[in-house]
Amino acid sequence: MPQPHRPTRPARPPRPQRARRGGAPDRRRGKDRPRWGVRLAAGLAVAVLGSGAIGHAVMTGLDTGIERVDPFKDMKNRPQAGHGLNFLLVGTDGRDKITPADKSAYRLGGAPCHCTDTVMLVHLSADRERASVVSLPRDSYAELPEHRDESSGKQHGPHPVKLNAAYAEGGPQLTVRTVEHMTRVKIDHYLEVDFASFMKTVDAMGGVEICTAKALHDQNTGLDLLPGSHRLSGGQALQYVRSRHVDGAADLGRMQRQQRFVAALIKQATGGGVLLNPVKFKEVSSTLLGSVRADRGFGSEQMLTLGQALRDFTPSSSEFASVPIGNPSYAVKGIGSTVKWDEPKASKLFEALRLDRPLAPAAPGRQPASPPQRQPAVPVDVPPGQIRVQVENGTRIDGLGGRVDTALRATGFDTTRSPGNGASRDVKRTVIAYDPRWDRSARTVSTALPGSELRAVAGQGRTVLVIAGADYRKVVPVRPEDPHQGRFGVVTGDQVICGT
C-alpha cells in the first residue's frame, strides 16, 4: 500500500515563461498548418544544408572560433577502430568564466576544480540512423597509465584514481587514454564543454523543454521545479544537469537527468527549431563551436555532416545507458569511495558499441512500431497500477463513466470497473478528489486527465475518485518514470522526453 506523503510545496521562484519554439507550428493553429507543410520546410532546409556550395557557405568561418586541443598526440597501442563514429563528450567545471551575476543566480560560487564534471561516450552508427550515449560515472574507479602531471610536471607511474581525476592530472590526452583503456573503444573526436559554453548553447536554441514527474529541489544548485513540463534557459538547464541532491541516487540520479536532457536537446534540434532553419543552425553551431574545446579534426565540416545525419532522427533514434555498476561504494585507500563497474556486463556493453550494434534491440515477438501520430506515454511519479480509482459520471452523457473507467484501466490504473453516477449531473470540468496523504497518486491521475481539477478531501482514503465532466475528451497514456531498461539499463529518447 502506498505510504502517506506530504503535499508538494509551491516552488519559490516564478515558473519560467515558455519560449516559442523557433520554427515550430503554433499549437492553436495546428489544424490550419498540415504536417505536409512541415515536411516541405524540412526538405527545403535539408536541401540548403546538404547542397554542397550553399551548405558550406552557410557554415563558412565557424572553425576559427574553436579552441583546439590534441588529445591523440603520440598515443600508442590504441584500440582497433570499429564502425561508426565515437565522440568523448566531457563537461568541465568552468565557473571561472561565469559572470558574477550568473554565479549568484545559479549558485556557482567557489573555485573551479579543474576536473571533469560529466563524461559521456557518444556513438553515432555507421548508417547515421542511431546515436548511443553511455554515461561514465565521474567517480568510477580507474587506473591511470604512466604519465606526466600537467600541473606539476612530475612523472607518475600507473596508479588508481577516480575517473574525473584523469583530467586534473593530464588534461584531455590522459582522459582519452584512460577511457580507451577502460572501454577498449577507440575515440574519434573529443569535445569539451564548460559551464559557460553549455549555457550559451542552450540559450541559442531558445531553451530546452524537460519534464519531471516529481518535484525537484536542490539547495546546492538552486534547482526548484514542480512536477510537469518546463522550458529551461541556459542557466536553469545547468542547474538541472548539475543537481546531485534531489534524491538518494546522488551522482547516478544526476546521470539519468543528464541523459533526459540530451534526449530533449535532440528533440529540440530535430523537431524543427534548429535543423529546419539554416540560419538558426549556423547560429547554434557558431555558439557551440565558438565556446568549446575540440580535437583538430572536428570543425564546421563535421557539424554539417552531423546536421545532415540528424535530419531523419526522431527521439527514438537515440538510446541512453549508464555503465553497469558492480559496487557503488568501492573503498580505495587514499582515494575514498569509488564506483566499481560490473566488468562482465560493462565489457558486453562496450563490445556492442565497437560492433555498431543497438544497445536496446527490439524484444522477440514485439509488435510493429506504433504509428508516429500516437501520443507517447507521459512519465509519472507513481506507477498507475498502484493507484485505485473509482469513476463517477458527473454528466447526463450516457455511458461516459464506463468509457473513462475503461480508458484509465487501459493505461494501467487499478479501476473498480464499477463506475457510478455522481451526486451532480452538471459537472463541466472533470474533478479528481483525493486524500491529501496520497497527493502524488492524484497527480499521476491528473496527468492522465489533462485539464482536470484536483480537489483535496481529508479522510477519503487511498482510493482516488474521478468525477467525469463534460470537458472529458480522452485519457493520456502514462507510465512509471523509470521503466524496466533491459540488460544495459537502456532507455530510448522517446521514453524520457516530454509527451506531446
Side-chain angles (χ1 to χ4, degrees):
M1 179 180 295
Q3 296 299 314
H5 35 258
R6 297 180 181 177
T8 304
R9 52 162 183 73
R12 289 174 296 185
R15 182 168 174 162
Q17 183 176 357
R18 289 175 64 92
R20 288 279 308 273
R21 299 186 187 183
D26 189 326
R27 292 184 185 274
R28 294 169 296 179
R29 296 182 289 118
K31 294 182 179 179
D32 298 325
R33 297 185 65 180
R35 291 189 61 82
W36 61 261
V38 176
R39 295 192 183 101
L40 178 60
L44 291 173
V46 169
V48 169
L49 287 176
S51 59
I54 300 178
H56 287 284
V58 169
M59 302 296 289
T60 295
L62 298 188
D63 290 14
T64 57
I66 304 176
E67 183 180 348
R68 296 297 184 182
V69 295
D70 191 359
F72 310 119
K73 182 180 180 181
D74 299 329
M75 287 184 62
K76 300 177 181 178
N77 301 318
R78 301 186 66 192
Q80 183 177 356
H83 301 286
L85 283 175
N86 297 311
F87 298 79
L88 186 63
L89 177 60
V90 169
T92 60
D93 183 342
R95 68 189 72 196
D96 52 328
K97 301 178 183 178
I98 302 292
T99 65
D102 282 345
K103 279 187 178 180
S104 175
Y106 305 118
R107 304 191 186 182
L108 293 167
C113 71
H114 190 64
C115 61
T116 52
D117 200 56
T118 300
V119 182
M120 288 182 172
L121 187 57
V122 182
H123 175 80
L124 184 64
S125 64
D127 59 13
R128 303 299 188 260
E129 293 184 358
R130 182 184 70 259
S132 304
V133 181
V134 180
S135 296
L136 311 182
R138 65 178 187 174
D139 290 339
S140 296
Y141 173 84
E143 294 185 4
L144 297 187
E146 183 179 351
H147 65 279
R148 184 177 300 277
D149 192 304
E150 271 201 345
S151 301
S152 65
K154 182 180 177 181
Q155 188 71 22
H156 290 290
H159 62 280
V161 294
K162 294 182 180 181
L163 178 58
N164 68 339
Y167 187 92
E169 291 193 25
Q173 186 182 44
L174 186 58
T175 301
V176 170
R177 288 179 64 193
T178 303
V179 171
E180 286 193 345
H181 175 72
M182 296 172 73
T183 66
R184 305 310 301 164
V185 174
K186 186 175 183 180
I187 306 300
D188 299 298
H189 291 293
Y190 173 88
L191 291 175
E192 180 182 312
V193 182
D194 61 24
F195 290 170
S197 57
F198 176 87
M199 293 167 65
K200 289 177 183 177
T201 302
V202 172
D203 284 335
M205 295 186 70
V208 173
E209 185 181 30
I210 63 95
C211 58
T212 175
K214 62 184 70 176
L216 300 178
H217 175 66
D218 187 340
Q219 291 183 339
N220 292 50
T221 64
L223 178 71
D224 203 346
L225 298 178
L226 288 174
S229 299
H230 306 267
R231 181 165 291 276
L232 305 184
S233 66
Q236 294 163 335
L238 183 62
Q239 290 175 314
Y240 179 78
V241 300
R242 289 187 60 233
S243 291
R244 303 177 70 236
H245 304 284
V246 297
D247 51 35
D251 201 45
L252 299 180
R254 186 181 73 150
M255 287 194 304
Q256 290 180 341
R257 285 186 289 279
Q258 290 172 348
Q259 292 173 354
R260 289 189 175 96
F261 184 83
V262 173
L265 199 68
I266 292 174
K267 178 186 177 184
Q268 173 82 354
T270 59
V274 177
L275 294 181
L276 300 188
N277 186 331
V279 176
K280 187 70 174 177
F281 181 66
K282 180 175 181 179
E283 177 189 352
V284 173
S285 299
S286 61
T287 301
L288 175 63
L289 295 178
S291 54
V292 303
R293 297 214 300 169
D295 64 271
R296 301 183 187 279
F298 187 85
S300 59
E301 190 80 24
Q302 285 67 37
M303 284 295 290
L304 183 58
T305 300
L306 284 176
Q308 293 169 334
L310 288 172
R311 70 184 184 270
D312 294 323
F313 259 45
T314 63
S316 61
S317 302
S318 57
E319 54 184 8
F320 300 85
S322 299
V323 178
I325 303 302
N327 185 349
S329 303
Y330 180 68
V332 180
K333 185 177 181 180
I335 299 176
S337 180
T338 67
V339 175
K340 195 76 161 60
W341 295 359
D342 183 323
E343 293 298 339
K345 291 182 179 179
S347 295
K348 292 180 180 178
L349 172 68
F350 296 121
E351 180 183 24
L353 290 186
R354 289 193 297 271
L355 297 177
D356 199 23
R357 293 175 179 169
L359 303 181
R366 185 174 179 177
Q367 296 298 316
S370 301
Q373 67 269 21
R374 182 178 178 182
Q375 182 169 353
V378 179
V380 289
D381 188 11
V382 180
Q386 297 180 9
I387 303 173
R388 186 69 167 170
V389 179
Q390 171 65 48
V391 177
E392 290 184 355
N393 185 354
T395 75
R396 300 183 186 277
I397 304 172
D398 290 340
L400 179 61
R403 293 202 303 272
V404 175
D405 183 280
T406 300
L408 287 171
R409 176 166 286 275
T411 198
F413 289 95
D414 179 22
T415 66
T416 64
R417 299 191 184 188
S418 300
N421 291 324
S424 171
R425 306 301 299 275
D426 297 310
V427 176
K428 299 292 189 286
R429 181 183 177 191
T430 299
V431 173
I432 299 173
Y434 66 98
D435 190 310
R437 294 179 299 167
W438 281 275
D439 64 300
R440 293 190 300 125
S441 295
R443 287 199 302 272
T444 291
V445 179
S446 69
T447 300
L449 294 167
S452 55
E453 174 190 346
L454 283 168
R455 185 178 296 172
V457 180
Q460 177 173 297
R462 66 181 292 258
T463 299
V464 176
L465 175 63
V466 172
I467 306 174
D471 66 334
Y472 171 77
R473 295 295 178 269
K474 65 177 181 177
V475 168
V476 173
V478 297
R479 60 168 174 77
E481 185 173 39
D482 295 310
H484 175 67
Q485 298 172 1
R487 60 174 180 162
F488 296 140
V490 181
V491 292
T492 52
D494 57 323
Q495 291 179 302
V496 294
I497 59 171
C498 299
T500 54

